[in-house]
């Protein structure tokens, strides 16, 4: 279907590659010539550039966003017996990092309008075992960091930001990834900034965290063949670093275009059956995913598919009701807003290379929808 001119995909990465193929290929060629494949010069160079972009002192490149979350938990000393509060409405990997350490993720509901973690829902989940909170800037919309920080400070907890969907987003004028103790990013293909494969990064301001994560991702050693603790192979590949350095130059213009399309949807989609995410005044979202809710989401996705428009759902099952976490004993009704969203969400096409007529067609179809 992708070759079909009239078909609108939810996201189409081929357009970016076609536009910048020569530049990407030259960057990859250079890595090959120097055989700088694992970590090395091009991974290190990207770390510096990404830290500068985010405005954090350090960026620790890793092999994917899930590893970034795992290293963040390890750097903060999370381990067996500990609890970390995470939103029920997120991609499941937010919770994996907690589970990998032997600690337990505790799921908190989102708000009914921003669909981001609800500070009011966090308070009730705090126990003597709680070590911290992972907030997720989901769909590119910053969560209420001030609200979460206030609760965290009152209880002596850390705040980690899952920025996997929010490169370049701002909360009260500050970049995500500089707000909490650590910021975790993913460069999975389709994220606002993406590698040609897998990649991730942890941003932080504290040298001790950076050094510890650098050791952990590198088999637990500071000096080659001397292993000071049990480590991991979580290094960023040189080729991904080189590709990311090319993409990073385009990220500001991609973000501006995402914001332009997002604002058009917000202003021009007018259908009482469609509900859109709230974007508080003190935030600058980057529209990673444009999620709406409708009474019957299967019907809506089919309606769009019949008109050659691909939509999907983020996410059809909230984390607390995933089979993987059945042993934690959650039930339907525990996180009502997250459950409502899972049962009604639809993600509309949105990516920087969308053409004007495609944007207009999505808007017209939304406005014409009647079940
Ligand atoms: C993509 C994503 C991750 C995981 O990143 P990977 O690079 O795929 O491992 C974690 N959290 C959120 C919110 C994500 O969207």
């Amino acid at each position: 279907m992708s070759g079909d001119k009239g078909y609108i995909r939810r996201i189409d990465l081929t357009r970016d590659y076609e536009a910048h193929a020569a530049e990407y290929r030259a960057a990859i060629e250079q890595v090959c010539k120097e055989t700088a494949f694992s970590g090395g010069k091009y991974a290190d160079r990207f770390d510096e550039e990404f830290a500068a972009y985010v405005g954090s002192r350090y960026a620790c490149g890793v092999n994917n966003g899930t590893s970034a979350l795992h290293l963040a938990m390890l750097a903060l000393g999370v381990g067996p017996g500990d609890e970390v509060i995470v939103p029920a409405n997120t991609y499941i990997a937010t919770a994996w990092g907690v589970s990998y350490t032997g600690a337990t993720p505790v799921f908190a509901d989102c708000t009914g309008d921003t669909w981001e973690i609800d500070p009011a829902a966090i308070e009730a989940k705090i126990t003597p075992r709680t070590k911290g909170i992972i907030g997720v800037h989901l769909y590119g919309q910053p969560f209420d960091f001030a609200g979460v920080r206030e609760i965290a400070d009152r209880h002596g907890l850390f705040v980690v930001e899952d920025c996997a969907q929010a490169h370049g987003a701002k909360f009260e004028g500050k970049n995500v990834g500089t707000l909490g103790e650590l910021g975790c990013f993913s460069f999975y293909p389709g994220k606002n900034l993406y590698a040609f494969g897998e990649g991730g990064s942890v941003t932080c301001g504290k040298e001790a965290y950076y050094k510890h994560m650098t050791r952990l991702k590198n088999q637990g050693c500071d000096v080659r063949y001397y292993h000071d603790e049990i480590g991991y192979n979580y290094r960023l590949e040189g080729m991904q670093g080189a590709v990311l350095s090319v993409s990073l130059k385009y990220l500001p213009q991609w973000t501006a275009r995402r914001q332009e399309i997002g604002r058009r949807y917000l202003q021009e989609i007018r259908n009482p059956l469609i509900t859109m995410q709230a974007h508080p005044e003190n935030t600058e979202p980057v529209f990673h995913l444009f999620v709406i809710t409708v009474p019957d989401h299967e019907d809506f996705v089919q309606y769009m598919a019949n008109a050659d428009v691909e939509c999907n759902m983020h996410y059809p099952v909230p984390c607390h009701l995933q089979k993987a976490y059945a042993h934690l004993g959650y039930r339907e009704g525990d996180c009502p807003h997250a459950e409502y969203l899972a049962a009604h969400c639809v993600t509309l096409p949105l990516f920087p290379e969308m053409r004007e007529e495609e944007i207009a067609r999505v808007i017209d179809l939304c406005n014409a929808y009647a079940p």
Side-chain angles (χ1 to χ4, degrees):
M1 289 290 255
S2 64
D4 186 338
K5 203 166 170 288
Y7 188 73
I8 303 175
R9 295 176 67 181
R10 223 281 299 147
I11 177 171
D12 186 352
L13 299 181
T14 63
R15 292 183 191 174
D16 170 40
Y17 183 69
E18 279 162 14
H20 306 295
E23 215 178 334
Y24 285 126
R25 294 174 84 103
I28 292 168
E29 176 74 11
Q30 197 56 36
V31 175
C32 294
K33 279 188 183 150
E34 297 177 34
T35 66
F37 294 131
S38 178
K41 178 168 147 191
Y42 294 98
D44 293 346
R45 189 182 67 185
F46 172 70
D47 279 353
E48 279 174 31
E49 293 168 355
F50 191 63
Y53 172 79
V54 171
S56 65
R57 187 168 309 173
Y58 302 102
C60 181
V62 291
N63 59 343
N64 59 61
T66 307
S67 299
L69 286 151
H70 185 198
L71 288 189
M73 293 302 103
L74 292 171
L76 290 161
V78 173
D82 294 338
E83 293 175 355
V84 177
I85 296 171
V86 303
N89 178 41
T90 182
Y91 182 60
I92 193 73
T94 306
W96 287 160
V98 178
S99 295
Y100 293 168
T101 68
T104 304
V106 174
F107 297 105
D109 205 1
C110 57
T111 74
D113 59 353
T114 65
W115 306 336
E116 303 294 330
I117 194 165
D118 183 357
I122 291 174
E123 194 103 47
K125 300 279 178 179
I126 295 173
T127 75
R129 292 167 179 259
T130 309
K131 282 283 165 345
I133 301 158
I134 306 179
V136 183
H137 305 297
L138 198 68
Y139 313 141
Q141 169 59 44
F143 67 86
D144 176 9
F145 183 79
V148 171
R149 180 86 264 176
E150 191 272 319
I151 292 169
D153 286 349
R154 213 150 16 84
H155 295 271
L157 309 175
F158 66 72
V159 182
V160 165
E161 301 168 75
D162 181 338
C163 308
Q165 303 190 357
H167 320 65
K170 290 182 169 71
F171 178 83
E172 293 181 346
K174 294 198 185 103
N175 287 338
V176 303
T178 63
L179 304 164
E181 273 80 345
L182 297 157
C184 301
F185 290 84
S186 164
F187 307 125
Y188 179 78
K191 300 288 161 99
N192 290 27
L193 177 67
Y194 67 97
F196 285 8
E198 308 278 345
S201 188
V202 191
T203 54
C204 64
K206 234 188 184 178
E207 189 182 26
Y209 292 147
Y210 174 71
K211 283 194 164 162
H212 192 193
M213 292 188 296
T214 300
R215 177 201 287 173
L216 287 169
K217 78 173 179 186
N218 197 25
Q219 308 283 19
C221 61
D222 298 328
V223 179
R224 205 168 196 188
Y225 305 128
Y226 292 83
H227 306 275
D228 301 332
E229 63 181 309
I230 292 173
Y232 303 84
N233 180 354
Y234 283 175
R235 290 180 295 257
L236 179 68
E237 293 185 354
M239 223 176 272
Q240 305 306 344
V243 165
L244 284 161
S245 286
V246 174
S247 315
L248 188 59
K249 290 193 295 178
Y250 296 106
L251 182 58
Q253 75 195 51
W254 290 339
T255 300
R257 181 66 178 150
R258 282 179 181 277
Q259 290 169 330
E260 195 179 346
I261 300 168
R263 289 197 188 106
R264 275 199 63 188
Y265 283 173
L266 285 170
Q267 281 164 12
E268 295 177 37
I269 295 175
R270 303 229 166 270
N271 183 332
L273 295 173
I274 295 176
T275 304
M276 293 182 272
Q277 188 181 19
H279 303 285
E281 287 284 320
N282 60 348
T283 63
E284 241 179 78
V286 291
F287 297 97
H288 171 59
L289 297 172
F290 199 94
V291 175
I292 61 170
T293 64
V294 288
D296 182 346
H297 65 169
E298 309 270 356
D299 182 69
F300 186 90
V301 170
Q302 190 55 53
Y303 160 81
M304 295 296 267
N306 292 345
D308 279 344
V309 178
E310 181 188 31
C311 294
N312 43 21
M313 298 170 189
H314 295 86
Y315 297 91
V317 181
C319 295
H320 67 295
L321 299 179
Q322 292 284 353
K323 211 190 262 179
Y325 285 124
H327 61 282
L328 298 179
Y330 288 90
R331 298 218 178 102
E332 253 175 71
D334 285 342
C335 299
H337 292 306
E339 289 163 31
Y340 179 87
L341 208 59
H344 298 89
C345 63
V346 174
T347 307
L348 300 179
L350 196 163
F351 54 97
E353 299 79 10
M354 264 182 104
R355 300 174 184 126
E356 291 305 307
E357 67 269 21
E358 293 173 330
I359 299 165
R361 225 171 94 206
V362 171
I363 292 167
D364 289 346
L365 281 165
C366 286
N367 289 336
Y369 175 68

CSV table of all heavy atoms in Angstrom, one decimal, residues 58 71 129-130 169 176 182 188 226 236 336 350 364:
chain,number,residue,atom,x,y,z
A,58,TYR,N,25.3,16.1,30.7
A,58,TYR,CA,25.8,14.8,30.1
A,58,TYR,C,24.7,14.1,29.3
A,58,TYR,O,23.5,14.3,29.7
A,58,TYR,CB,26.2,13.9,31.2
A,58,TYR,CG,27.3,14.4,32.1
A,58,TYR,CD1,27.0,14.9,33.4
A,58,TYR,CD2,28.6,14.4,31.7
A,58,TYR,CE1,28.1,15.4,34.2
A,58,TYR,CE2,29.6,14.9,32.4
A,58,TYR,CZ,29.4,15.4,33.7
A,58,TYR,OH,30.4,15.9,34.5
A,71,LEU,N,19.3,1.5,33.1
A,71,LEU,CA,20.5,2.2,33.7
A,71,LEU,C,20.1,3.3,34.6
A,71,LEU,O,20.7,3.5,35.7
A,71,LEU,CB,21.4,2.8,32.6
A,71,LEU,CG,22.1,1.8,31.7
A,71,LEU,CD1,23.1,2.5,30.8
A,71,LEU,CD2,22.9,0.7,32.6
A,129,ARG,N,8.2,1.7,50.9
A,129,ARG,CA,9.2,1.1,49.9
A,129,ARG,C,9.4,2.0,48.7
A,129,ARG,O,10.2,1.7,47.9
A,129,ARG,CB,8.6,-0.2,49.4
A,129,ARG,CG,8.6,-1.3,50.5
A,129,ARG,CD,7.8,-2.5,50.0
A,129,ARG,NE,7.8,-3.5,51.0
A,129,ARG,CZ,8.5,-4.6,51.0
A,129,ARG,NH1,9.3,-4.8,50.0
A,129,ARG,NH2,8.4,-5.5,51.9
A,130,THR,N,8.6,3.0,48.5
A,130,THR,CA,8.6,3.8,47.3
A,130,THR,C,10.0,4.6,47.2
A,130,THR,O,10.3,5.3,48.2
A,130,THR,CB,7.5,4.8,47.2
A,130,THR,OG1,6.3,4.1,47.5
A,130,THR,CG2,7.4,5.5,45.9
A,169,ALA,N,10.5,18.8,23.6
A,169,ALA,CA,9.3,19.4,24.3
A,169,ALA,C,9.8,20.2,25.5
A,169,ALA,O,10.9,20.0,26.0
A,169,ALA,CB,8.4,18.2,24.7
A,176,VAL,N,12.5,19.1,28.3
A,176,VAL,CA,12.4,17.8,29.0
A,176,VAL,C,13.8,17.1,28.9
A,176,VAL,O,14.5,17.3,27.9
A,176,VAL,CB,11.3,16.9,28.4
A,176,VAL,CG1,9.9,17.6,28.4
A,176,VAL,CG2,11.6,16.5,26.9
A,182,LEU,N,17.2,12.3,36.1
A,182,LEU,CA,17.7,11.7,34.8
A,182,LEU,C,16.6,11.7,33.8
A,182,LEU,O,15.4,11.7,34.1
A,182,LEU,CB,18.1,10.2,35.1
A,182,LEU,CG,19.2,9.9,36.1
A,182,LEU,CD1,19.1,8.5,36.6
A,182,LEU,CD2,20.5,10.1,35.4
A,188,TYR,N,14.3,4.8,18.7
A,188,TYR,CA,13.7,3.8,17.9
A,188,TYR,C,13.1,4.4,16.6
A,188,TYR,O,12.5,5.5,16.7
A,188,TYR,CB,12.6,3.2,18.8
A,188,TYR,CG,11.8,2.1,18.1
A,188,TYR,CD1,12.3,0.8,17.9
A,188,TYR,CD2,10.5,2.3,17.6
A,188,TYR,CE1,11.6,-0.2,17.3
A,188,TYR,CE2,9.8,1.3,16.9
A,188,TYR,CZ,10.3,0.1,16.8
A,188,TYR,OH,9.6,-0.9,16.1
A,226,TYR,N,39.1,-4.9,33.5
A,226,TYR,CA,39.0,-4.8,34.9
A,226,TYR,C,37.5,-4.5,35.3
A,226,TYR,O,37.1,-3.4,35.0
A,226,TYR,CB,40.0,-3.8,35.5
A,226,TYR,CG,41.4,-4.2,35.3
A,226,TYR,CD1,42.1,-4.0,34.1
A,226,TYR,CD2,42.1,-4.9,36.4
A,226,TYR,CE1,43.4,-4.4,34.0
A,226,TYR,CE2,43.4,-5.3,36.2
A,226,TYR,CZ,44.0,-5.1,35.0
A,226,TYR,OH,45.3,-5.5,34.8
A,236,LEU,N,25.9,2.3,22.6
A,236,LEU,CA,25.4,2.8,21.4
A,236,LEU,C,26.3,2.4,20.2
A,236,LEU,O,27.5,2.6,20.4
A,236,LEU,CB,25.2,4.4,21.4
A,236,LEU,CG,24.7,5.1,20.2
A,236,LEU,CD1,23.2,4.7,20.0
A,236,LEU,CD2,24.8,6.6,20.3
A,336,PRO,N,-9.1,4.1,36.1
A,336,PRO,CA,-10.2,4.2,35.1
A,336,PRO,C,-9.9,5.1,33.9
A,336,PRO,O,-10.4,4.8,32.8
A,336,PRO,CB,-11.3,4.9,36.0
A,336,PRO,CG,-10.7,5.2,37.3
A,336,PRO,CD,-9.4,4.4,37.5
A,350,LEU,N,0.5,11.5,11.6
A,350,LEU,CA,1.2,12.7,11.9
A,350,LEU,C,2.7,12.4,11.8
A,350,LEU,O,3.2,11.6,12.6
A,350,LEU,CB,0.9,13.3,13.2
A,350,LEU,CG,1.3,14.8,13.4
A,350,LEU,CD1,0.5,15.5,14.6
A,350,LEU,CD2,2.8,15.0,13.6
A,364,ASP,N,-10.7,16.5,7.0
A,364,ASP,CA,-12.0,16.4,6.4
A,364,ASP,C,-12.7,15.0,6.8
A,364,ASP,O,-13.9,15.0,7.1
A,364,ASP,CB,-11.9,16.4,4.9
A,364,ASP,CG,-11.6,17.9,4.4
A,364,ASP,OD1,-11.7,18.8,5.3
A,364,ASP,OD2,-11.2,18.0,3.2
